[in-house]
Amino acid sequence: MDLILFLSTMQNKFLSLIIIVIIFSFHLNGQKLVNSPYARFNLGVLNQQGTFRSISMGGISAAMRDNNTISYTNPASYTGFDTTSFVFDIGMDLSKLKLEGNNENFSTTDMNFRHILLGFPVGRRIGFAAGLVPYSNGYYYIAEKIIKGSPGWNEATGDYSSAHKGTGTLTSLFTGAGFEITKNISAGINLTALFGTLERQNQFDFSDQNTFSQKNKESLNITGFNLDYGIQYTGTYKKNYFFNAGISFTAPKYYRTVHELMKERYTTYFYLPYSPDTLSNFNSKSSDSTRLPGSLRIGIMAGKKDKFTAGIDFVMTKWSKAKIQGGDAEMADTRSLMIGLEYIPEKYSNTSFLRRIEYRIGGRIADNYLLINRIQLKEYSLTGGLAIRLKNSISKASFFVDYTRRVGDISAGLHNESIFTVGASLNLYDFWFVKRKYE
């Protein structure tokens, strides 16, 4: 068999598989069905950004760069790809949320698509990457039945049931390039498209058949483009020790929005035009009524190549300057501090499986962008993970665990949440456009 033809055929099959996965991912339901009542407000619950390597190290990423990590939060990192290499990364996660309030507790679990990424070099000084990642989740479901004797019951309304439901997600699709300016300095830029629809419904059904029930339906569609900028410095010192520093920045941007709100009333007797009866139907299109904030990420990372890494990131986002069309909660500036460690006993060992494993741990302290009843939510995370490198290959399977505590103020009506998440990703690395042959 002609070895060159065989390898070329295998690469073509591999590329075809990647294309199929990418196309399939557009049909995946990006809706995370973890039921958080905080998803009722503004853009819902924001997803933490980054690869599973980054997330398992607390979320650090500004200074992260290597030959098989697509660190898309800083596009300057794309110059770290090996010449003629190709990197593909796809991940899923499983989350369980437990809500704690005044004598009320419940939990919910869901599995969901997390990211799909690809990257490769374009020449010796330019790297390219693209990907699809969820930005925010708007799912929640809250139901209550009020009967005589229940708190909140009164004779005017009688018995009734209420249901509040949200669905939808916002997704980011990005493509970008990194450029090597000097041996130690790189810069990069991402073009990011944000799109998606959040839908919310509030429904009140009264037991008295002579009383009108009411339903409100709201929809917010957001589309638009923005640019992310990044710069990195990397230096290597004696005995393979390194130091990286990185900064990435996203400018504030107005997005096109379509906001729809319909209110109707109805009874158990459906006789048009009396039931259902549309009370109002509002539809607004705007290019300047939704403004997402600017964000700055600064980080440093140091260690010994292929042995250990330590890093720290600081992220600041000006959510107080943002505005959401139809948003019903105030927003506050957020600050996040992240720290992470990685240790590899022997990265290229061909005799010991355990010594090839990459061990990671990290933590995060952050503000939440929501300001409810003048109280800003806080988040605390402890993370960990590992990567199992395939024998005689740089490809690997990565796993992470994340425990996040979202803290409100129960005395002010704001519940607490505990979110436990596990994830797995497949990181494939191969050389492309290289003819291999035996003499």
Side-chain angles (χ1 to χ4, degrees), residues 121-333:
V122 182
R124 294 183 178 275
R125 294 179 175 270
I126 302 175
F128 172 86
L132 183 72
V133 293
Y135 179 80
S136 74
N137 164 45
Y139 178 82
Y140 63 90
Y141 182 75
I142 305 170
E144 184 179 26
K145 188 172 184 178
I146 302 296
I147 60 175
K148 190 172 183 178
S150 301
W153 185 90
N154 62 66
E155 293 184 359
T157 58
D159 298 348
Y160 71 93
S161 60
S162 64
H164 310 274
K165 183 177 182 180
T167 59
T169 186
L170 297 180
T171 302
S172 292
L173 175 65
F174 75 89
T175 180
F179 310 89
E180 186 179 290
I181 300 174
T182 69
K183 180 181 178 180
N184 302 104
I185 299 176
S186 297
I189 186 170
N190 279 339
L191 174 64
T192 302
L194 182 68
F195 59 93
T197 300
L198 301 175
E199 296 181 340
R200 292 164 181 148
Q201 178 175 298
N202 300 309
Q203 184 170 338
F204 298 87
D205 290 307
F206 296 94
S207 298
D208 186 350
Q209 296 181 349
N210 296 314
T211 301
F212 279 104
S213 298
Q214 185 167 315
K215 180 189 297 182
N216 300 337
K217 296 180 180 179
E218 183 179 17
S219 173
L220 179 65
N221 176 270
I222 297 178
T223 55
F225 295 88
N226 201 1
L227 295 174
D228 311 308
Y229 309 92
I231 188 168
Q232 279 187 340
Y233 166 84
T234 180
T236 302
Y237 305 96
K238 61 180 181 179
K239 296 183 179 180
N240 291 324
Y241 287 91
F242 68 89
F243 173 82
N244 297 343
I247 299 175
S248 60
F249 173 72
T250 301
K253 182 70 168 57
Y254 285 97
Y255 288 82
R256 180 182 181 273
T257 55
V258 179
H259 182 219
E260 299 181 21
L261 178 61
M262 185 179 74
K263 298 181 179 181
E264 64 179 12
R265 63 180 184 178
Y266 57 93
T267 68
T268 54
Y269 307 107
F270 281 78
Y271 295 109
L272 296 174
Y274 305 107
S275 179
D277 178 21
T278 300
L279 301 177
S280 64
N281 192 353
F282 172 81
N283 187 305
S284 174
K285 298 181 181 179
S286 174
S287 59
D288 60 1
S289 58
T290 292
R291 182 179 188 265
L292 298 191
S295 183
L296 176 68
R297 179 186 289 263
I298 302 173
I300 57 174
M301 183 175 287
K304 186 176 182 180
K305 184 179 179 181
D306 298 332
K307 196 66 176 180
F308 68 86
T309 300
I312 186 169
D313 271 26
F314 176 76
V315 183
M316 181 174 64
T317 306
K318 301 289 288 184
W319 279 101
S320 63
K321 303 297 183 181
K323 59 179 182 178
I324 312 297
Q325 186 171 4
D328 52 3
E330 292 184 76
M331 293 173 283
D333 294 343

Side-chain angles (χ1 to χ4, degrees), residues 363-382:
R364 179 175 68 100
I365 301 174
D367 302 315
N368 190 285
Y369 80 112
L370 294 177
L371 190 65
I372 304 174
N373 297 336
R374 306 303 301 172
I375 297 173
Q376 186 173 13
L377 306 178
K378 303 292 183 180
E379 296 183 0
Y380 307 92
S381 298
L382 181 64

Side-chain angles (χ1 to χ4, degrees), residues 90-102:
I90 184 169
M92 305 284 291
D93 68 16
L94 174 69
S95 295
K96 181 175 182 178
L97 179 146
K98 182 180 179 182
L99 183 149
E100 304 164 7
N102 284 320

